[in-house]
Amino acid sequence: MKAAVIQFPGSNCDLDMLNALQLFGVEAQIVSHKATSLAGYDAIFLPGGFSFGDYLRCGAIARFSPIMTAVTTAAAAGKLIVGVCNGFQILTEAGLLPGQLMMNETPGFICAEVPITVINQQSQFTNQYQQATITLPVAHGEGRYYADEATIAQLEANHQVIFRYQTNVNGSAEQIAGIVNEKGNVLGMMPHPERAVEAIIGNIDGQDFFRSILN
Amino acid sequence: MMYLGKVYVSYKPSVFDPQGDVIKTSLHQLNFQGVESVTQGKYFEIKLVATNLTEATANLVKMAEELLINPNTETYQYAIDEIEVL
């Protein structure tokens, strides 16, 4: 598998993502947000961080980066697109995923390891998880998933909710921590699987996420 | 012609605004007991060149809808006037 990790000005989880992908043998490369082609890549990762300083709204400026046209084309072509944290925010602003990430219910930055339920173990991103409860790091000030009731109902009915917080750390609608699009090839999640792939740092619950993508 | 557009962005009533809630609590602590609710919004002043008011207004509306707001959660109002170029 060949993967692109998009680097926006203000990305800060790009190298973690690159490292995690390379640990699993993926031929991964950093691609600038100014690039205009993603030809030849099987999977595209939008990493965490504070693209463009989170000015206006998280992800609102990054969605207009030149690379986003190629990301949209790749999504339409069925390539795997993964947005983690700020990447999730960019995907919603770009309209590639429904809803929006808003300021945490209790204002403030949350940095913690939290229990998460893998709701859908059939997805292209979770099919290697044997257990439903995992622990993943979260690090965000604006991670409260919001969508109107009709959209939430649609997400639930189509099994597009992939991850849920066991304790609602940020006030997300239906405790949603990660969703996919209707086709199932675009994933957005606030928790950081790329920070949980090495035993030496105390958590390997992100490993099955990468194994699922490679499966 | 030069125009000055003023765009006021606010959350839809159905959306919880945690900053507004915290500000409300602070106002209560300052003894403004009559405060019922606070919503924090955004305000933009945009100077733009256009051939006439109709074109300027159309541009301002497009800017608001394409970038300034996220229609999932926000709405906006605007005002626009011609201004003198000094």
Side-chain angles (χ1 to χ4, degrees), chain A residues 105-116:
Chain A
E105 189 171 46
T106 304
F109 197 90
I110 302 168
C111 188
E113 303 252 334
V114 299
I116 283 163

Side-chain angles (χ1 to χ4, degrees), chain B residues 7 55-67 76 78 80:
Chain B
V7 181
E55 185 192 304
T57 305
N59 280 338
L60 191 70
V61 165
K62 214 159 172 259
M63 289 176 210
E65 293 181 357
E66 285 183 15
L67 179 61
Y76 69 100
Y78 68 89
I80 187 160

Side-chain angles (χ1 to χ4, degrees), chain A:
Chain A
M1 172 181 273
K2 201 174 165 195
V5 178
I6 311 298
Q7 187 174 58
F8 296 91
S11 292
N12 65 10
C13 301
D14 43 345
L15 297 182
D16 286 354
M17 185 61 84
L18 187 75
N19 175 59
L21 288 164
Q22 288 171 347
L23 279 177
F24 286 87
V26 177
E27 190 190 330
Q29 288 165 347
I30 296 285
V31 173
S32 163
H33 76 111
K34 286 184 179 165
T36 52
S37 169
L38 286 165
Y41 292 103
D42 310 300
I44 292 126
F45 292 80
L46 280 65
F50 301 85
S51 58
F52 294 90
D54 278 353
Y55 289 178
L56 188 63
R57 294 179 305 275
C58 304
I61 309 294
R63 70 165 279 216
F64 293 106
S65 279
I67 197 65
M68 289 308 292
T69 307
V71 172
T72 304
T73 306
K79 303 264 175 77
L80 293 186
I81 315 284
V82 174
V84 171
C85 201
N86 190 225
F88 186 10
Q89 295 163 341
I90 296 168
L91 290 175
T92 59
E93 282 286 338
L96 291 171
L97 287 172
Q100 188 184 344
L101 283 313
M102 305 189 67
M103 181 174 289
N104 297 341
E105 189 171 46
T106 304
F109 197 90
I110 302 168
C111 188
E113 303 252 334
V114 299
I116 283 163
T117 306
V118 184
I119 300 296
N120 178 341
Q121 286 170 257
Q122 318 297 320
S123 83
Q124 297 187 70
F125 309 95
T126 50
N127 57 53
Q128 294 300 299
Y129 278 106
Q130 304 302 317
Q131 77 283 26
T133 292
I134 59 171
T135 300
L136 286 178
V138 291
H140 59 248
E142 306 197 25
R144 174 168 51 112
Y145 184 75
Y146 174 87
D148 60 35
E149 280 177 28
T151 306
I152 297 284
Q154 209 177 349
L155 289 173
E156 300 280 10
N158 296 339
H159 307 288
Q160 288 172 253
V161 177
I162 305 298
F163 299 107
R164 250 192 257 278
Y165 303 107
Q166 290 187 355
T167 301
N168 203 349
V169 290
N170 53 24
S172 289
E174 301 301 323
Q175 312 201 180
I176 287 172
I179 57 168
V180 288
N181 64 344
E182 230 174 311
K183 265 168 57 185
N185 66 313
V186 179
L187 169 92
M189 63 191 293
M190 288 312 295
H192 288 272
E194 80 282 8
R195 294 190 191 177
V197 290
E198 290 180 270
I200 196 167
I201 50 171
N203 184 351
I204 55 165
D205 283 1
Q207 287 184 350
D208 285 340
F209 176 80
F210 292 94
R211 288 193 190 106
S212 300
I213 290 170
L214 284 165
N215 184 30

Side-chain angles (χ1 to χ4, degrees), chain B residues 1-85:
Chain B
M1 306 288 223
M2 181 74 85
Y3 295 89
L4 175 62
K6 297 178 176 177
V7 181
Y8 307 85
V9 176
S10 53
Y11 288 118
K12 291 178 178 173
S14 56
V15 174
F16 176 59
D17 167 28
Q19 291 186 111
D21 212 50
V22 169
I23 295 164
K24 183 180 84 174
T25 305
S26 290
L27 290 172
H28 286 168
Q29 285 167 354
L30 289 168
N31 271 328
F32 293 105
Q33 296 303 333
V35 174
E36 278 287 314
S37 70
V38 179
T39 309
Q40 183 172 330
K42 292 174 190 156
Y43 169 61
F44 301 88
E45 288 187 353
I46 298 177
K47 279 185 197 164
L48 67 156
V49 176
T51 50
N52 54 46
L53 183 63
T54 310
E55 185 192 304
T57 305
N59 280 338
L60 191 70
V61 165
K62 214 159 172 259
M63 289 176 210
E65 293 181 357
E66 285 183 15
L67 179 61
L68 302 185
I69 71 157
N70 183 323
N72 281 304
T73 53
E74 294 170 325
T75 57
Y76 69 100
Q77 294 177 300
Y78 68 89
I80 187 160
D81 285 306
E82 191 183 329
I83 55 169
E84 273 182 45
V85 184

